């Protein structure tokens, strides 16, 4: 497969067998915490507003994790009421960058925004460093 497309509009480069083909990590320089491993989550499309700093983005492409135990490192906020129901925001547990996604409180499914994480080739027994 070719290198990832820099435009991020070509999601196919991120997929293998329907799931993420690369490890998903915190994108903060110097953190690099492993959020979840290769082949853990399928791509999911739905619109959700996520704050970041002093603005709010409408995100439409996420990784879907049906089980919180598929995460390597993530933290959850308290419940927040939104126009789409109650959610908990997800953030990096090491540097608290986020939200990188959210959890639907009703069904416990988590969604990680594909643009709020970075990607790396999987490494054996590697939890934090690049």
């Amino acid at each position: 497969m070719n290198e990832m497309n820099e435009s991020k509009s070509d999601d196919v480069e991120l997929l293998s067998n329907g799931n993420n083909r690369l490890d998903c990590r915190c994108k903060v320089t110097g953190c690099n915490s492993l959020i979840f491993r290769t082949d853990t989550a399928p791509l999911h499309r739905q619109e959700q507003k996520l704050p970041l700093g002093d603005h709010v983005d409408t995100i439409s492409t996420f990784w879907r994790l049906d089980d919180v135990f598929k995460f390597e490192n993530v933290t959850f906020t308290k419940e927040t009421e939104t126009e789409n129901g109650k959610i908990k925001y997800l953030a990096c547990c090491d540097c608290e960058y986020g939200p990188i996604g959210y959890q639907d409180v009703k069904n416990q499914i988590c969604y990680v925004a594909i643009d709020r994480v970075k990607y790396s080739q999987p490494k054996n027994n590697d939890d934090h460093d690049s």
Side-chain angles (χ1 to χ4, degrees), residues 36-75:
F36 59 93
R37 295 187 185 277
T38 299
D39 199 28
T40 299
L43 206 58
H44 181 79
R45 296 189 193 282
Q46 82 179 39
E47 285 197 352
Q48 177 69 34
K49 293 179 181 173
L50 289 181
L52 188 62
D54 59 354
H55 67 279
V56 176
D57 295 325
T58 300
I59 311 251
S60 59
T61 309
F62 295 88
W63 297 111
R64 177 185 166 135
L65 290 95
D66 294 344
D67 183 350
V68 296
F69 294 107
K70 291 183 177 182
F71 285 106
E72 296 295 322
N73 296 296
V74 74
T75 188

Side-chain angles (χ1 to χ4, degrees), residues 3-53:
E3 289 182 22
M4 273 192 312
N5 188 338
E6 299 237 355
S7 73
K8 294 184 182 177
S9 62
D10 189 3
D11 305 330
V12 174
E13 294 293 328
L14 298 174
L15 292 173
S16 176
N17 298 320
N19 286 340
N20 58 303
R21 75 172 188 91
L22 300 168
D23 284 346
C24 294
R25 295 182 172 274
C26 180
K27 67 190 303 184
V28 171
T29 303
C31 182
N32 203 38
S33 182
L34 180 62
I35 306 296
F36 59 93
R37 295 187 185 277
T38 299
D39 199 28
T40 299
L43 206 58
H44 181 79
R45 296 189 193 282
Q46 82 179 39
E47 285 197 352
Q48 177 69 34
K49 293 179 181 173
L50 289 181
L52 188 62

